Amino acid sequence: MKVNKLILFLFLLIVSQSAVALTGSDSLLVDAEQSIAQLSARLSATRYKDALQDSLSVQISDILGKALEVDGSFNYPFDSIKNDISVVSSTDGRLRIFTWFSVGDAGNYRYYGFLQYSDKSDREVAIFKLNDCSDDMEDVENQSLSSRRWFGMMYYAIVETKISSETIYTLLGWDGCGLYTTKKIVEPLTFNDFGEPRFGKPMIKIGRRKISRLVFEYTKRASMMIQYDASLDVIVMDHLTALGTQDTDNPMFFAPDMSYDALKFEDGMWLYQPNIQYMRPKTKRR
């Protein structure tokens, strides 16, 4: 009987301690996560309504921004929001990016996001709100951008490489773009001496040309693959070509042709390698 009473006492003690813990920062994060999950589900269900999309996106941004300032937020998983909001983290545990989008009446996409970055030298977590300015940008392949002037997209993967002691976070992203075309983007991300993010760096080499960001635009009717293959240590991508005899300058007619190109990281550069031999992994049936 004494053993049973001791077990009961320990169980009640653990439960009470958990309850106390949830009255602090964890409770704030749980409440914020639930609110964001509800709002983001509504956002996904009500596309092509400008006013409502803008309102929901602003509410999500306000709640998430405040939540990320709570102690312990950097390690909080936010699992329940991942159906509608992309949350990607680096394997070194220093970077996490949240991105999502709205779609207006005319099929125009607008992107929102936050970036968390932990500098191990002082163990503080910096938070940056991402401000989409892509509508008024030109020559985006050659621009280095800040969080205040960001080429908006949904990030879905992070590839880590190093130049000496500097870590390069190469981001893979998707942009719904508009009614007729879609974009996929490869974008190096670095941090300056002040710990501020810089999106884009001239380290992608195609022939003799060096660019800061690689952008592919293609027909909405197709799907393009860009992914990191760890077994080959390269970023593999579908090769795009104009369909049939269509206009070779119009991205509305571009689609994958079942061949592949790659980016290989060598001597601090992503080197473009056309027409590689590649066996695409088979998708497992569920």
Side-chain angles (χ1 to χ4, degrees), residues 44-61:
S44 296
T46 55
R47 301 297 190 200
Y48 306 104
K49 296 181 180 179
D50 274 336
L52 182 56
Q53 290 275 292
D54 288 345
S55 174
L56 291 170
S57 295
V58 169
Q59 291 179 67
I60 292 169
S61 185

Side-chain angles (χ1 to χ4, degrees), residues 6-20:
L6 177 61
I7 293 174
L8 178 60
F9 172 77
L10 292 174
F11 173 77
L12 293 174
L13 180 63
I14 292 171
V15 170
S16 64
Q17 288 177 337
S18 299
V20 170

Side-chain angles (χ1 to χ4, degrees), residues 5-99:
K5 288 182 179 179
L6 177 61
I7 293 174
L8 178 60
F9 172 77
L10 292 174
F11 173 77
L12 293 174
L13 180 63
I14 292 171
V15 170
S16 64
Q17 288 177 337
S18 299
V20 170
L22 282 175
T23 61
S25 60
D26 285 349
S27 178
L28 293 173
L29 292 170
V30 169
D31 290 344
E33 180 183 13
Q34 291 175 347
S35 297
I36 294 168
Q38 293 171 0
L39 290 168
S40 61
R42 286 186 63 198
L43 183 69
S44 296
T46 55
R47 301 297 190 200
Y48 306 104
K49 296 181 180 179
D50 274 336
L52 182 56
Q53 290 275 292
D54 288 345
S55 174
L56 291 170
S57 295
V58 169
Q59 291 179 67
I60 292 169
S61 185
D62 288 344
I63 296 171
L64 181 57
K66 291 175 183 177
L68 297 181
E69 294 177 354
V70 174
D71 288 343
S73 68
F74 189 60
N75 296 313
Y76 187 80
F78 288 98
D79 285 335
S80 68
I81 72 174
K82 293 179 181 178
N83 287 335
D84 303 295
I85 295 177
S86 174
V87 185
V88 292
S89 301
S90 61
T91 57
D92 65 4
R94 299 179 65 182
L95 172 67
R96 182 162 67 166
I97 309 177
F98 300 77
T99 46

Side-chain angles (χ1 to χ4, degrees), residues 156-210:
Y156 62 87
I158 300 175
V159 182
E160 295 171 47
T161 51
K162 281 188 175 292
I163 303 175
S164 298
S165 60
E166 181 185 17
T167 300
I168 309 295
Y169 301 97
T170 299
L171 309 176
L172 307 184
W174 170 90
D175 175 11
C177 194
L179 292 174
Y180 305 108
T181 62
T182 301
K183 292 178 181 177
K184 282 284 184 75
I185 301 101
V186 180
E187 177 182 66
L189 167 67
T190 57
F191 290 85
N192 64 21
D193 293 339
F194 301 100
E196 298 170 335
R198 298 299 302 177
F199 295 89
K201 183 174 182 176
M203 55 178 295
I204 300 173
K205 190 173 183 181
I206 304 175
R208 295 183 179 180
R209 187 166 65 108
K210 295 179 182 178

Side-chain angles (χ1 to χ4, degrees), residues 213-227:
R213 182 179 293 100
L214 189 55
V215 181
F216 298 93
E217 187 172 1
Y218 53 96
T219 177
K220 204 84 168 179
R221 294 175 294 169
S223 176
M224 181 187 185
M225 176 202 71
I226 301 182
Q227 65 184 24

Side-chain angles (χ1 to χ4, degrees), residues 131-270:
N131 182 34
D132 183 7
C133 295
S134 55
D135 285 347
D136 63 357
M137 286 186 187
E138 296 180 358
D139 193 28
V140 295
E141 288 194 334
N142 294 299
Q143 291 199 43
S144 177
L145 304 168
S146 69
S147 58
R148 295 177 294 279
R149 182 171 169 77
W150 170 59
F151 184 68
M153 69 186 83
M154 283 266 285
Y155 296 118
Y156 62 87
I158 300 175
V159 182
E160 295 171 47
T161 51
K162 281 188 175 292
I163 303 175
S164 298
S165 60
E166 181 185 17
T167 300
I168 309 295
Y169 301 97
T170 299
L171 309 176
L172 307 184
W174 170 90
D175 175 11
C177 194
L179 292 174
Y180 305 108
T181 62
T182 301
K183 292 178 181 177
K184 282 284 184 75
I185 301 101
V186 180
E187 177 182 66
L189 167 67
T190 57
F191 290 85
N192 64 21
D193 293 339
F194 301 100
E196 298 170 335
R198 298 299 302 177
F199 295 89
K201 183 174 182 176
M203 55 178 295
I204 300 173
K205 190 173 183 181
I206 304 175
R208 295 183 179 180
R209 187 166 65 108
K210 295 179 182 178
I211 58 176
S212 297
R213 182 179 293 100
L214 189 55
V215 181
F216 298 93
E217 187 172 1
Y218 53 96
T219 177
K220 204 84 168 179
R221 294 175 294 169
S223 176
M224 181 187 185
M225 176 202 71
I226 301 182
Q227 65 184 24
Y228 175 68
D229 189 311
S231 64
L232 300 176
D233 194 23
V234 296
I235 295 174
V236 183
M237 61 198 77
D238 283 317
H239 180 80
L240 299 179
T241 191
L243 296 172
T245 58
Q246 303 286 3
D247 185 351
T248 57
D249 293 325
N250 191 332
M252 285 177 55
F253 301 119
F254 276 73
D257 63 1
M258 299 186 70
S259 65
Y260 302 95
D261 304 323
L263 291 171
K264 177 72 174 177
F265 194 76
E266 292 182 0
D267 299 324
M269 301 289 295
W270 282 110

